[in-house]
Amino acid sequence: MWPADLSGDEKGRMDRLQMLTDRVRQAGCRITKQRAVILRSLSELDGHASAERVYEQACVHRRDVHFSTVYRTLERLRDLRVISQMDLGRGCAEFEIIADRPHHHLICLECGRMIDLDHSYLEPVAEAIRRDFGFEPFLDHLAILGWCGECDKAERSSELGPERRE
Ligand SMILES: [Zn+2]
Ligand SMILES: [Zn+2]
């Protein structure tokens, strides 16, 4: 199939896969067949995915993939800063491809709403950490847990607190 015939989604997926593959190679890491399947699965999932979800997707392409291999590979990709690992408050670690520009999330613990937070909010924090600690923070993908405006307002207007609300 010619690239011109690809749908937008398919084009996006192939771009993501190319970017992932390039980054892994640049980091001096060999692309084994198993790793290639895991990179392909990550490019297909596009977004936050648990190790279990990546494993399920990898199994679509290869039956001989083991969960432990998927997990180890995800950890390796995380250490290479190709993907990020974070806790979105859903009970398991989730992985996501690190885009050219970092992105972050505000997550409401009460209603589960997820609000995107632009990296510009964190740039001054990173700068202050570098200045005061000489520490290079990896702020690729951050989840800030809390209460959204509506849940916070509901909590303030109720003496019982949000967990006791109807
Ligand atoms: Zn994210
Ligand atoms: Zn909320």
Side-chain angles (χ1 to χ4, degrees):
M1 195 197 289
W2 295 102
D5 292 328
L6 297 174
S7 70
D9 282 0
E10 181 61 9
K11 170 88 169 62
R13 187 192 71 73
M14 299 216 4
D15 287 349
R16 282 193 294 280
L17 182 56
Q18 189 61 53
M19 182 193 73
L20 276 173
T21 309
D22 289 348
R23 285 209 199 153
V24 172
R25 286 219 178 93
Q26 276 160 19
C29 195
R30 218 158 53 85
I31 312 245
T32 59
K33 281 183 182 163
Q34 299 253 359
R35 280 184 186 155
V37 168
I38 294 162
L39 294 178
R40 178 174 172 185
S41 304
L42 280 166
S43 74
E44 287 163 347
L45 291 169
D46 184 34
H48 308 120
S50 64
E52 284 76 13
R53 186 71 193 86
V54 177
Y55 170 67
E56 276 172 24
Q57 191 68 20
C59 289
V60 171
H61 304 299
R62 260 181 96 98
R63 279 207 227 132
D64 61 345
V65 198
H66 293 284
F67 181 72
S68 59
T69 310
V70 172
Y71 202 83
R72 268 203 318 273
T73 304
L74 290 173
E75 284 184 325
R76 179 106 173 85
L77 294 172
R78 176 202 62 201
D79 293 345
L80 296 173
R81 295 179 76 196
V82 170
I83 60 173
S84 63
Q85 176 180 355
M86 72 189 314
D87 179 358
L88 295 171
R90 293 194 281 226
C92 63
E94 294 183 53
F95 298 88
E96 189 176 29
I97 299 169
I98 295 176
D100 290 336
R101 184 169 172 78
H103 77 271
H104 314 283
H105 306 284
L106 302 176
I107 297 166
C108 179
L109 287 173
E110 189 56 23
C111 69
R113 180 178 307 179
M114 202 191 289
I115 302 158
D116 288 342
L117 183 71
D118 190 81
H119 189 59
S120 56
Y121 287 91
L122 288 161
E123 270 161 359
V125 175
E127 198 44 54
I129 291 173
R130 276 185 212 112
R131 186 190 59 225
D132 296 348
F133 300 90
F135 184 92
E136 179 57 37
F138 291 173
L139 298 178
D140 300 313
H141 193 211
L142 220 69
I144 299 176
L145 306 177
W147 282 343
C148 74
E150 276 174 41
C151 293
D152 187 47
K153 219 183 325 167
E155 198 273 341
R156 282 174 205 278
S157 63
S158 158
E159 288 175 4
L160 295 172
E163 68 276 12
R164 304 286 294 279
R165 240 166 48 235
E166 287 304 312

